[in-house]
């Protein structure tokens, strides 16, 4: 039996990077999946990859920053999977700039996806999980939710906000059997970063103790643990997966 055998899971932002790695890892451990992303073709390809390997996965094009899409995502999980046990709030975008240089559109885009999207998807999922006897919500924050960093004011604000939301949801919904935790990746070798020049990536890698970027599959292992019953006594936790950068 897999570590997620019988579990029904949503992974947002599942078309690439950590979301894709998490969806593939969950499927290997027996989860039934609904994988969502704004990129329809890419998310359908991930679901097809899972099915080709013998797993069960449905794909849905959805924008987490839109309330109707968040509700539609959870409704699709209930329709196709029969319920919901795990929600991975992974969808996110990067953004650079100072507060003085930022526009309203910058704020709305980054906060809308990175923080408001976590709120909307969690709000839709919690009643379904509670009705089913509980569940696990894993929210992807960032090392940027733990630290101040230059030229990333809105992005860091969004990721700090995710941590605050996680802690409050964990407190508010523990009695319903719902665990809520945050993972804070550091530098990961995903499309969000790999388009940058090699010298810039090398500089980022030097900031952590391991002197390298993380593979999304490595962080997916932590998400898997928090989603599984192995983490039954873990809630309200904020766990870095950053090569030791935040400990320095």
């Amino acid at each position: 039996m897999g570590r997620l055998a019988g579990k029904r899971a949503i992974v947002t932002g599942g078309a690439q990077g950590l979301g894709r790695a998490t969806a593939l890892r969950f499927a290997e451990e027996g989860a039934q999946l609904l994988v969502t992303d704004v990129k329809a073709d890419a998310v359908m390809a991930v679901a097809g990859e899972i099915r080709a390997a013998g797993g069960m996965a449905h794909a849905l094009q959805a924008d987490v920053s839109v309330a109707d899409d968040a509700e539609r995502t959870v409704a699709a999980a209930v329709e196709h999977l029969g319920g919901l046990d795990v929600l991975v709030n992974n969808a996110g975008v990067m953004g650079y700039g100072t507060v003085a240089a930022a526009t309203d559109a910058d704020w709305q885009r980054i906060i809308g996806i990175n923080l408001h999207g976590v709120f909307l998807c969690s709000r839709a999922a919690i009643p379904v999980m509670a009705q089913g006897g509980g569940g696990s919500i894993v929210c992807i924050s960032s090392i940027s939710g733990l630290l101040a960093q230059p030229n990333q004011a809105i992005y860091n604000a969004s990721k700090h906000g995710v941590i605050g939301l996680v802690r409050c949801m964990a407190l508010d919904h523990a009695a319903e059997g719902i665990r809520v935790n945050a993972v804070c990746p550091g530098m990961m070798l995903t499309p969000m970063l790999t388009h940058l020049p090699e010298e810039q990536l090398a500089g980022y890698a030097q900031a952590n103790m391991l002197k390298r970027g993380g593979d999304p599959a490595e962080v997916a292992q932590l998400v898997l643990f928090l989603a599984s019953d192995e983490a039954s006594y873990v809630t309200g936790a904020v766990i870095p997966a950053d090569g030791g950068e935040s400990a320095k």
Side-chain angles (χ1 to χ4, degrees):
M1 296 291 287
R3 295 162 71 187
L4 294 181
K7 301 290 188 185
R8 301 154 300 183
I10 292 170
V11 178
T12 71
Q16 62 184 21
L18 178 56
R20 175 181 175 273
T22 297
L24 294 176
R25 191 71 188 92
F26 276 24
E28 290 172 356
E29 293 292 344
Q32 303 171 48
L33 286 156
L34 177 70
V35 190
T36 78
D37 203 284
V38 292
K39 300 174 181 177
D41 291 344
V43 77
M44 285 191 290
V46 172
E49 189 176 352
I50 290 169
R51 290 193 296 269
M56 178 181 176
H58 297 269
L60 181 70
Q61 182 181 27
D63 181 343
V64 298
S65 69
V66 176
D68 286 348
D69 279 16
E71 295 287 344
R72 185 166 56 88
T73 294
V74 174
V78 173
E79 177 186 354
H80 294 298
L81 310 180
L84 182 62
D85 305 295
V86 178
L87 169 65
V88 180
N89 284 311
N90 169 75
V93 293
M94 190 63 199
Y96 297 98
T98 66
V99 165
T103 65
D104 289 353
D106 294 331
W107 176 268
Q108 290 160 3
R109 180 179 71 91
I110 298 167
I111 297 294
I113 295 170
N114 292 1
L115 181 56
H116 192 55
V118 171
F119 161 73
L120 290 174
C121 291
S122 300
R123 184 178 67 178
I126 285 168
V128 175
M129 286 185 174
Q131 187 175 19
S136 172
I137 299 175
V138 184
C139 301
I140 307 305
S141 180
S142 170
I143 188 176
S144 300
L146 301 170
L147 305 173
Q149 295 165 308
N151 206 41
Q152 293 183 187
I154 301 175
Y155 180 76
N156 284 44
S158 73
K159 293 302 187 177
H160 276 74
V162 168
I163 290 173
L165 193 58
V166 161
R167 288 171 168 158
C168 289
M169 289 194 296
L171 181 61
D172 289 339
H173 300 288
E176 296 165 285
I178 298 171
R179 297 183 297 103
V180 190
N181 294 288
V183 173
C184 296
M187 177 192 177
M188 277 201 305
L189 300 175
T190 70
M192 191 178 283
L193 286 182
T194 50
H195 68 283
L196 297 174
E198 285 293 329
E199 59 272 19
Q200 188 171 351
L201 291 176
Y204 287 164
Q206 290 304 305
N208 69 56
M209 296 179 189
L210 301 182
K211 307 303 181 187
R212 65 174 178 86
D215 188 302
E218 295 178 287
V219 182
Q221 286 291 108
L222 177 56
V223 180
L224 169 63
F225 167 71
L226 292 172
S228 76
D229 292 338
E230 296 168 8
S232 57
Y233 198 53
V234 182
T235 195
V238 178
I239 306 177
D242 63 0
E245 183 173 352
S246 60
K248 293 170 66 179

